[in-house]
Amino acid sequence: MSWTKYTLVSLPIAAAAVVAAMWWSGELPSDLDPQQTRPTLVIAEHRTARLQALYQMQPKLEAELGVRLKIVEYPAPPQDYFTKLVTELRAGNAPDVFTVPRDLQVDDLAAAGYLANLTADVEAWSGYQQLPALVKTLTRASFDEQVYVVPSIVAVEQLYYRHDLLTAAGISTEQPKDWQDLLNRSRQIKQQMGQFPLMIPAGLTWGMGSYTEGFRYLLASFQDYQLLSAGNQYQLNDDAVRQAFGFYQTLMQEQLTPINPLLNPEPWVIPKYEMFPKGELLITTCGSWCKVFDWGPDSRNPIANVDTSVQTWKFPSADGGEPFALASVVYAWAVNAKSRQQQLARQLVLALGEVDVALAYAVKLGNVPARLDAKEHADFIALGSLMQDHALLTETRALRTTVGSNAMMAGVAQASEAVLTGRANAVQAQQQLHDYVVNVLGVEMVEQQLAKTLPLALPADVEKD
């Protein structure tokens, strides 16, 4: 798209005529840079790897859309990024285009009126039919089923284990079929190797990660459980919630998980970046980014031959279903509802959802492109072992959230902390979570009907004490 389409309408008539004549004659003044006369879109980005990917794709995006991209660097930690983003959205001076760190944050931002409704744009986009059904669902807000983000990359989350060390110890590396199988394997690791077998994030200081990187996986282990009821309320009285806390209680009571590190200010540092590389922790929840950021060659404590030394199990079922992987739409692109460049901003987020852009991000971040046709792209092979994760996209699970997800996640962090410290058993933790969410969001946001009581998937003593 030619820059003249935009610039000539904004110049005085006489000046426009002169510039047009000089452009057609090939005599454009050297001090008039066409790039500077294009309309500008402000885009927020953060973290070195993401910035590198955007700068890599910037020339192509600018040429394709006939715009100039002004890249604003936001704080690197995800929570700091999100805090600054929300602050600027409230103040009315946020960028035209930005990312939403996780799909479960879309509802709150959309309900607050911060995100442009992209439903018509996305449904008419050629890439829409290339998205797995689950990814399509996660781009929509649960309260109105409208589309507010364009997905680019997806995190595929599973259990990661030290295949090299378990094999050397003669311990089976077969996929655990259910919770009991995983617990029995964990007990064998502790007895035979004398190390902590399993870590599932929990507690106050892990923040939203206590849900997104821990409790969520346990809830999804029940094949028929959904976090939201048909009336779009949080189902916290369900027996799946009690049993999920019961799994934590078993890990704590049998000392199958490192508890003290989970109570530290940065609880992920010791177990994931120190214990797991040293072989002092053998199994942990993680995602497709982990072999790049957590244990890859450029990480704090790289694991030698990480692609073979560290391998994955799907999350085992709690109730007889098939093992599964989870999918999270991470850093999907959104348009500021108050952007003055609405049409161009909408074109930009769709361009950011194209396969070549997604691959540039995926390679640097250790996630996978959201689109299924990425496997047909010449650069797909650059994903290496992540190609296996991409192949799982059509069979992954997810738990949808609604408005108030931050309160729900804060409640999980508090209740799981109570279990870790021995101040609550599974039943008490479930009640604590329920009461917290009701107090913050109101009783109308929580389904009050008690679900049927399921047989315990864990030893019966999870309800004692």
Side-chain angles (χ1 to χ4, degrees), residues 360-429:
Y361 272 86
V363 168
K364 293 183 182 298
L365 292 163
N367 290 313
V368 301
R371 289 171 50 163
L372 297 175
D373 59 342
K375 62 179 180 292
E376 302 167 9
H377 196 282
D379 294 337
F380 184 68
I381 195 170
L383 288 177
S385 63
L386 291 173
M387 292 188 289
Q388 300 170 15
D389 288 338
H390 185 264
L392 295 174
L393 284 182
T394 57
E395 56 187 79
T396 52
R397 292 185 191 175
L399 288 178
R400 207 172 181 191
T401 59
T402 189
V403 175
S405 61
N406 282 333
M408 181 273 298
M409 292 187 290
V412 168
Q414 290 193 14
S416 62
E417 172 104 352
V419 175
L420 286 175
T421 56
R423 292 182 287 108
N425 62 24
V427 174
Q428 292 165 336

Side-chain angles (χ1 to χ4, degrees), residues 115-349:
L115 307 183
N117 188 324
L118 304 177
T119 306
D121 307 85
V122 171
E123 290 182 348
W125 173 48
S126 61
Y128 185 66
Q129 298 307 319
Q130 295 297 331
L131 298 175
L134 182 63
V135 172
K136 288 181 180 178
T137 298
L138 294 177
T139 65
R140 296 178 183 270
S142 65
F143 63 87
D144 64 359
E145 295 299 330
Q146 297 296 295
V147 179
Y148 290 94
V149 292
V150 175
S152 176
I153 57 175
V154 175
V156 177
E157 295 153 87
Q158 302 181 79
L159 286 173
Y160 283 67
Y161 70 93
R162 290 298 302 267
H163 183 269
D164 54 346
L165 301 180
L166 293 186
T167 301
I171 296 174
S172 172
T173 58
E174 290 293 317
Q175 166 71 50
K177 64 180 184 297
D178 54 29
W179 280 8
Q180 199 61 57
D181 197 8
L182 178 60
L183 285 172
N184 289 340
R185 195 84 51 89
S186 297
R187 293 173 181 125
Q188 183 184 4
I189 290 170
K190 179 183 178 183
Q191 181 178 9
Q192 193 167 322
M193 301 180 69
Q195 305 292 352
F196 285 112
L198 175 62
M199 196 273 292
I200 299 178
L204 276 172
T205 54
W206 208 301
M208 66 182 287
S210 289
Y211 173 77
T212 60
E213 297 182 55
F215 200 68
R216 181 169 61 114
Y217 308 143
L218 297 175
L219 293 179
S221 297
F222 295 86
Q223 55 188 332
D224 295 325
Y225 175 75
Q226 290 297 322
L227 183 62
L228 298 183
S229 68
N232 216 36
Q233 297 172 299
Y234 286 106
Q235 297 194 97
L236 303 179
N237 288 316
D238 195 281
D239 204 63
V241 178
R242 175 178 63 92
Q243 295 204 49
F245 282 122
F247 193 94
Y248 280 138
Q249 186 172 342
T250 298
L251 294 181
M252 183 269 295
Q253 287 177 336
E254 298 188 24
Q255 298 182 343
L256 299 175
T257 193
I259 295 174
N260 288 336
L262 296 180
L263 305 177
N264 286 341
E266 294 184 319
W268 49 86
V269 172
I270 292 177
K272 283 200 174 182
Y273 303 155
E274 296 181 13
M275 296 177 69
F276 193 77
K278 292 177 181 177
E280 297 171 355
L281 173 67
L282 279 303
I283 311 166
T284 181
T285 62
C286 217
S288 45
W289 67 89
C290 291
K291 289 188 180 183
V292 174
F293 280 101
D294 291 24
W295 315 303
D298 297 324
S299 65
R300 175 175 176 174
N301 288 312
I303 297 175
N305 304 312
V306 66
D307 281 337
T308 54
S309 298
V310 178
Q311 296 192 22
T312 59
W313 291 321
K314 294 179 181 179
F315 294 111
S317 165
D319 60 357
E322 290 296 316
F324 62 95
L326 265 84
S328 296
V329 175
V330 290
Y331 295 104
W333 295 99
V335 172
N336 185 347
K338 294 184 179 179
S339 169
R340 298 178 182 178
Q341 301 273 16
Q342 279 291 319
Q343 203 54 42
L344 283 174
R346 291 165 186 264
Q347 292 176 31
L348 176 57
V349 293

